[in-house]
Amino acid sequence: MNIQEEQLLRQQIVALVPRLRRFALGLTCSGPDADDVVQMALERALTRLDQFQPGTRLDAWLFRIVKTTWLDDRRRQARRPAEQNEHAVNSFDGNVAGQIETLELRADIARALGALNEDQRAVVLLVLVEGRSYEEASDILDVPPGTIMSRLSRARAILMQLLSQEGHQV
Amino acid sequence: MTGNISDEMIMALADGELSGEAADRVRSAVDADPRMQQTFEMYRQSRELLAGGFEGIFEKPVPEALSRLVLGPDNEPAQVVSLSTRRQGRPVRSVDAFIPQAAAAAVLIACAAFAGFQVGQGEGADGTVFLAGTLPDSSPLPALLSTLPSGEIARADGAAFEVVATVRTGAGEVCREFELRSADASTLALACRVDGDWQIEVAALGAPAKASGQYMPASEGASGLIGVALEDKGDHDVLDGGDEACALGTGPCGGAADPVRQDH
């Protein structure tokens, strides 16, 4: 990849950031956490730009990195909760959380998503919020389409049960 | 017949994942069975509710730190709009996949008055900007692209139009890199002649000019992006003088100096 191609790729990545933030918001259910995850995922992607296969979908590649970054971060925090504060302080030097409006997820949606396991949450967000097909979700999450469908179906039953309790018309 | 319709198949129908016979079969089964209708409705509503919960999130401004992280602190980004879908006759595509709204608006400023891009703002459900690369008949751009020699400047409405270079691709396609400059912005773009019509391949927005009243040249980043678009076309010859006139049909062919091999 020459410098111009890399520059073009970086421009395209920037254009996808709003989507990545929305996906990360659904995964983390927290605006500041979402930006932390997106930041870490972008750092990860930038160190692997040469691994991106031109001609394949850049958004799918980035969604995959955001998802694995989120999972890694969750595991890391679960193992070493004491580092959580340090991480929060170090990330972004407060640039994102402090100066710019952070994203906010509606409380009822956050509660409903919070009831899903990690796999269910990722597939629900990709298909229902990001509008990906089952096949694309299968590609991004690296699981067979049949698994996508069973996770999605189960997750939606849970979501609807919770959202109906929240007073949404069902 | 209804016994072998699973909930997952009903879900696939609700999600538009089925087509043809499979869709017809599941749809008939659902129509005939109130329990299945309820299941279908559950899936449909779950999409509606969840997507609704994320409404407006996409439009939130991206923290500068995130953009800087990707582009680097010193990068004065040129914004690129790929318009190549036009060539396949697809419907107008939302620019939001490529550039932030502010940049799209700047393309609008740079191009609308002079180049005649068909630009409309706020037409999407989420207020995104749309930009069509097909040049309308009223645009002066096709005529200029067809006739103006490289290096000469045409002016209109406070904007300057200049062809930077003309190339012929290995496939015989004639493309012209041109610049539009106004006090507000400069746009570098690549147009190729397809079946006699000029199509905009890429438009790259350079740094906006300061309020100096001076024309602002397109940034190096913008020319880099045009360069990438040209590279995608494979080998190409840069045409000058007589070869350019020949390619445009404004001058005789033959007898001119050989074109400079650019990429061979």
Side-chain angles (χ1 to χ4, degrees):
Chain A
M1 185 162 38
N2 65 32
I3 290 173
Q4 289 175 354
E5 285 165 344
E6 181 178 324
Q7 190 191 10
L8 186 59
L9 191 57
R10 285 170 181 259
Q11 299 279 350
Q12 290 169 341
I13 291 173
V14 165
L16 288 168
V17 168
R19 277 168 222 275
L20 303 180
R21 290 180 88 206
R22 181 168 61 188
F23 182 46
L25 178 67
L27 293 174
T28 61
C29 297
S30 145
D33 288 354
D35 279 335
D36 275 358
V37 165
V38 170
Q39 185 208 2
M40 288 185 283
L42 289 173
E43 284 168 349
R44 201 178 275 204
L46 291 173
T47 61
R48 301 175 186 179
L49 279 185
D50 55 332
Q51 289 175 24
F52 173 68
Q53 305 278 327
T56 62
R57 292 190 60 143
L58 181 63
D59 55 354
W61 185 64
L62 291 169
F63 277 132
R64 199 176 301 132
I65 294 176
V66 166
K67 192 238 174 183
T68 49
T69 303
W70 169 62
L71 286 179
D72 290 351
D73 191 50
R74 264 170 86 92
R75 311 261 146 82
R76 196 181 310 120
Q77 293 193 19
R79 273 199 309 275
R80 294 180 287 183
E83 283 184 8
Q84 203 166 337
N85 286 337
E86 191 190 342
H87 168 71
V89 169
N90 288 342
S91 63
F92 266 132
D93 303 325
N95 279 347
V96 165
Q99 295 168 15
I100 307 273
E101 180 189 14
T102 53
L103 301 180
E104 238 177 284
L105 190 58
R106 250 171 47 193
D108 57 338
I109 300 288
R111 272 193 294 274
L113 284 171
L116 304 180
N117 68 34
E118 293 166 345
D119 292 332
Q120 289 169 335
R121 212 183 295 179
V123 73
V124 152
L125 292 168
L126 286 174
V127 175
L128 302 188
V129 180
E130 299 303 325
R132 302 291 134 172
S133 67
Y134 296 172
E135 196 184 331
E136 286 170 327
S138 155
D139 177 44
I140 292 166
L141 300 174
D142 198 23
V143 292
T147 309
I148 292 292
M149 288 177 74
S150 54
R151 283 180 188 169
L152 189 58
S153 171
R154 175 79 191 120
R156 283 158 99 163
I158 297 171
L159 284 176
M160 288 308 280
Q161 197 180 0
L162 289 166
L163 289 173
S164 65
Q165 285 167 9
E166 300 264 1
H168 292 282
Q169 187 197 352
V170 178
Chain B
M1 197 60 194
T2 58
N4 57 1
I5 303 289
S6 67
D7 281 2
E8 286 173 14
M9 289 166 81
I10 299 173
M11 177 181 76
L13 180 72
D15 287 343
E17 290 271 343
L18 298 182
S19 59
E21 272 181 40
D24 292 344
R25 189 168 70 90
V26 179
R27 194 184 306 279
S28 319
V30 168
D31 286 347
D33 183 332
R35 191 202 65 82
M36 286 195 197
Q37 278 168 28
Q38 214 177 352
T39 307
F40 179 89
E41 196 52 25
M42 184 275 279
Y43 287 127
R44 195 193 59 72
Q45 281 193 10
S46 64
R47 180 183 279 270
E48 203 173 275
L49 284 176
L50 206 69
F54 284 82
E55 209 173 336
I57 297 291
F58 182 83
E59 289 76 19
K60 298 284 184 196
V62 170
E64 211 186 311
L66 286 177
S67 309
R68 262 206 319 270
L69 173 69
V70 179
L71 295 174
D74 300 319
N75 199 321
E76 184 79 47
Q79 309 290 352
V80 66
V81 191
S82 171
L83 302 173
S84 58
T85 50
R86 229 74 51 205
R87 302 188 55 194
Q88 287 127 48
R90 290 195 205 142
V92 173
R93 135 178 228 175
S94 166
V95 174
D96 73 42
F98 294 92
I99 56 172
Q101 185 146 339
V107 171
L108 182 152
I109 292 164
C111 299
F114 187 65
F117 280 107
Q118 291 172 316
V119 181
Q121 196 160 7
E123 289 173 1
D126 52 6
T128 49
V129 178
F130 293 89
L131 215 163
T134 312
L135 296 161
D137 293 342
S138 59
S139 169
L141 203 51
L144 288 170
L145 284 167
S146 295
T147 56
L148 197 72
S150 295
E152 286 186 21
I153 296 175
R155 293 175 197 277
D157 296 336
F161 169 88
E162 180 180 359
V163 175
V164 180
T166 303
V167 303
R168 183 186 275 123
T169 67
E173 201 175 20
V174 174
C175 299
R176 307 194 83 189
E177 178 183 344
F178 65 93
E179 193 169 355
L180 280 168
R181 298 186 295 261
S182 70
D184 300 313
S186 75
T187 299
L188 201 60
L190 182 71
C192 293
R193 200 171 53 191
V194 181
D195 299 331
D197 288 331
W198 289 98
Q199 305 273 351
I200 306 298
E201 298 277 321
V202 176
L205 178 72
K210 307 284 185 292
S212 60
Q214 300 241 316
Y215 288 132
M216 189 82 176
S219 70
E220 283 182 27
S223 28
L225 294 169
I226 300 295
V228 170
L230 264 178
E231 291 301 317
D232 283 348
K233 300 221 159 252
D235 286 2
H236 52 270
D237 298 326
V238 175
L239 307 176
D240 38 13
D243 290 316
E244 181 182 79
C246 161
L248 295 174
T250 55
C253 295
D258 284 342
V260 181
R261 292 300 290 185
Q262 171 79 1
D263 185 26
H264 194 56

